[in-house]
Amino acid sequence: MLEHYWSVTTSLLPFLWKGFLETFYVSLVAIVVGSLIGALIGVVRSQRIPLLTGLFGLYIHVLRGTPFLVQLYVFYFVLPNTGISWLSWDSRTAAFVALSVYTSSYVAEIIKAAIEAVPRGQSEAATALGMNRIQRLWYVVFPQALKLTVPPMSSVYVMIIKSTAILSVVGISELTRQGEVSILRYPRDILFIYGLIAFIYFLYCYPVLRFARWAERRVGMARTVDLD
Amino acid sequence: MTWLLDFYNYRIVAQYLDRFAEGLRNTLTAAGVSLVLSLVFGTIIALALLSKRDAFHRPAAAYVAFIRATPLLVQIYLVYYGFPALLPFAKSWNDMYFGIAALVLNSTPYIGEIIRAGIESVPGGQIEAAKAVGMNYGQRLRYIVLPQAFANTLPPLLGQTAVLIKDTSLLSIITVFEFTSAGILLNSERVKPNESFLTIALGYLLIYLAILLLSRGVKQWLAGPAWNAQA
């Protein structure tokens, strides 16, 4: 019994490792690209620029109000169907773009909240010293806001890692997909293989979750599920 | 109007209206039943997390850590293939039952954490006062702690409800006929991705907006008349 599971594990480990590397890669791309887009949107939204704030607000609500699976289908089926040539991408590009865009909606709100959490007096004092808007943000607000973003950004990173599993439905060879392929080889061990996959995700996510909790105690910013 | 029909042929959507309605019904059923069960189990988990006894605290913490650190999709597969193999009574379940079981398993820790935070927000003096008038643990919980904790947990609970409704979309993968499945059905029969997936995206968005408005109303209501007069 135990020997059987051991042999299944050792024969599958190279495949699952390949899947894990893809999961790792996708999640890394999504957090980097998503943070860049999200930071831009968050900064603009925190500045209350009339038209842009509303427009980006709509962007965020659309992305947070629909399931990631549905968004993935839109990026995978609908956008290549529009007839615009550069949107007729392959499944891997669709998956990467979908996850990055999804990530950006969460990052934007974190950045906005962090900027607004810096006391107003800081910005006003900078104004009194004759700094312009860019200087105030860059030298006074950002450095103080940055540390506030660490705990919620870690939580978002875990959320991204978990969302990469959904990419298996459009055929991306990440961890879950590699597991499904492995099950074709060992159909009787389906439960064991899914358990193994869950364990690998756990090894990736749990340290990040611990870090988020540690950072939260240091920074003291609440991490609740809140709609606004 | 032809450009609109080319991009989004609402007549096809109208033909599938009853399928979309059926899917929506199943989505709301799955989310609603999961929410109620998660509230019950979440309260138990919250009490276990707050317990000073290791025998209660440790297993609850391990369960919460496992759920938070693994993807919902993998949890759904584990329930879908694991329950019939491990639990004799689950052999005759239909897909919907497995879906609800997976969602409850997944959302219980999140709701438990919300309830725990709510309980911790009740001032210690309240509990001491309840002890002073001779209430036992059950009475303190029933009459003092939970009613006050509930008010503090309502806004995050609504947020979690929105997450739960979005999560039901993954049940389409284990062939539960919910809202997303209706879109997939339209696309596989007519090969019309716009009509299929933009329709369900809009549907989810409307549900989300309804919860968002409700959440804002609840926050105003909880803030009380004095706060609202100022604003």
Side-chain angles (χ1 to χ4, degrees):
Chain A
M1 190 72 173
L2 215 62
E3 276 165 28
H4 169 70
Y5 285 136
W6 179 247
S7 76
V8 171
T9 307
T10 48
S11 78
L12 288 184
L13 224 48
F15 296 96
L16 297 182
W17 174 247
K18 236 178 81 188
F20 171 75
L21 285 182
E22 180 75 349
T23 292
F24 183 68
Y25 181 57
V26 186
S27 54
L28 220 57
V29 169
I31 189 83
V32 172
V33 178
S35 297
L36 290 176
I37 306 171
L40 204 67
I41 294 175
V43 170
V44 169
R45 260 170 73 75
S46 73
Q47 298 305 300
R48 305 196 176 280
I49 300 165
L51 193 67
L52 285 178
T53 301
L55 209 63
F56 286 146
L58 185 71
Y59 171 88
I60 287 167
H61 279 312
V62 167
L63 288 168
R64 299 185 76 153
T66 51
F68 177 63
L69 180 66
V70 174
Q71 291 169 24
L72 184 64
Y73 285 143
V74 169
F75 278 90
Y76 182 65
F77 289 113
V78 177
L79 292 188
N81 191 41
T82 51
I84 301 164
S85 60
W86 61 271
L87 283 178
S88 51
W89 41 39
D90 60 349
S91 63
R92 195 151 179 267
T93 315
F96 275 64
V97 174
L99 195 59
S100 300
V101 167
Y102 178 65
T103 305
S104 74
S105 70
Y106 286 87
V107 174
E109 288 300 82
I110 290 171
I111 301 287
K112 177 172 170 271
I115 289 176
E116 285 173 353
V118 175
R120 279 190 72 86
Q122 296 284 327
S123 192
E124 286 163 2
T127 313
L129 290 173
M131 288 185 174
N132 63 32
R133 188 194 285 247
I134 306 289
Q135 286 172 325
R136 289 201 301 267
L137 279 175
W138 187 256
Y139 293 110
V140 179
V141 179
F142 285 173
Q144 299 181 64
L146 193 66
K147 82 170 187 189
L148 295 179
T149 64
V150 173
M153 281 297 286
S154 322
S155 303
V156 165
Y157 189 48
V158 172
M159 189 195 75
I160 296 165
I161 298 168
K162 293 193 285 181
S163 300
T164 59
I166 298 173
L167 301 179
S168 63
V169 302
V170 294
I172 308 301
S173 304
E174 42 67 72
L175 186 52
T176 306
R177 181 85 194 121
Q178 290 292 83
E180 284 164 7
V181 176
S182 308
I183 285 160
L184 300 177
R185 281 176 59 199
Y186 298 98
R188 293 169 61 92
D189 296 309
I190 182 162
L191 202 56
F192 176 71
I193 292 172
Y194 278 127
L196 204 60
I197 292 169
F199 181 63
I200 297 174
Y201 277 114
F202 183 83
L203 290 181
Y204 187 9
C205 292
Y206 189 65
V208 186
L209 278 173
R210 286 307 292 257
F211 171 77
R213 227 178 40 212
W214 174 81
E216 210 169 278
R217 269 203 299 272
R218 292 280 306 246
V219 175
M221 192 170 174
R223 180 199 51 193
T224 52
V225 186
D226 202 337
L227 282 172
D228 281 310
Chain B
M1 285 302 272
T2 51
W3 63 270
L4 180 65
L5 283 178
D6 278 347
F7 180 71
Y8 184 88
N9 191 340
Y10 49 83
R11 290 177 193 151
I12 296 181
V13 178
Q15 285 173 19
Y16 280 81
L17 215 54
D18 52 336
R19 305 314 305 262
F20 279 115
E22 185 192 347
L24 187 61
R25 218 164 35 238
N26 285 333
T27 285
L28 294 179
T29 308
V33 173
S34 303
L35 180 65
V36 172
L37 292 176
S38 306
L39 278 172
V40 174
F41 293 124
T43 309
I44 297 170
I45 285 293
L47 295 177
L49 285 173
L50 287 168
S51 168
K52 286 181 188 73
R53 280 185 221 168
D54 277 355
F56 293 146
H57 175 86
R58 289 248 169 99
Y63 163 60
V64 171
F66 173 77
I67 296 294
R68 295 185 77 130
T70 52
L72 172 59
L73 184 59
V74 175
Q75 291 162 14
I76 289 174
Y77 285 141
L78 280 173
V79 166
Y80 191 61
Y81 296 109
F83 271 33
L86 302 175
L87 307 170
F89 60 85
K91 281 201 171 66
S92 58
W93 281 11
N94 66 27
D95 296 338
M96 185 67 152
Y97 286 15
F98 290 117
I100 289 173
L103 286 176
V104 171
L105 207 65
N106 176 264
S107 66
T108 293
Y110 295 96
I111 287 182
E113 285 281 342
I114 292 171
I115 295 174
R116 184 184 62 84
I119 291 176
E120 281 183 334
S121 73
V122 175
Q126 296 280 330
I127 296 164
E128 286 159 18
K131 278 181 188 165
V133 295
M135 286 185 174
N136 62 30
Y137 181 81
Q139 286 171 325
R140 293 199 300 269
L141 211 57
R142 163 76 183 78
Y143 295 106
I144 308 296
V145 178
L146 288 184
Q148 295 186 67
F150 179 70
N152 292 328
T153 55
L154 209 48
L157 272 183
L158 281 170
Q160 193 58 42
T161 306
V163 173
L164 190 55
I165 289 174
K166 289 193 288 172
D167 282 346
T168 57
S169 66
L170 288 184
L171 300 188
S172 63
I173 293 166
I174 54 164
T175 67
V176 174
F177 193 83
E178 45 66 74
F179 199 45
T180 307
S181 307
I184 294 170
L185 177 81
L186 199 168
N187 192 45
S188 59
E189 286 185 3
R190 298 294 187 88
V191 199
K192 286 280 185 190
N194 300 15
E195 287 77 355
S196 315
F197 298 117
L198 295 182
T199 309
I200 49 175
L202 187 69
Y204 281 113
L205 194 60
L206 289 177
I207 300 173
Y208 169 80
L209 287 179
I211 298 176
L212 186 68
L213 287 178
L214 187 66
S215 160
R216 287 190 179 162
V218 163
K219 275 181 193 164
Q220 285 235 315
W221 170 61
L222 288 175
W227 176 270
N228 292 335
Q230 275 179 1

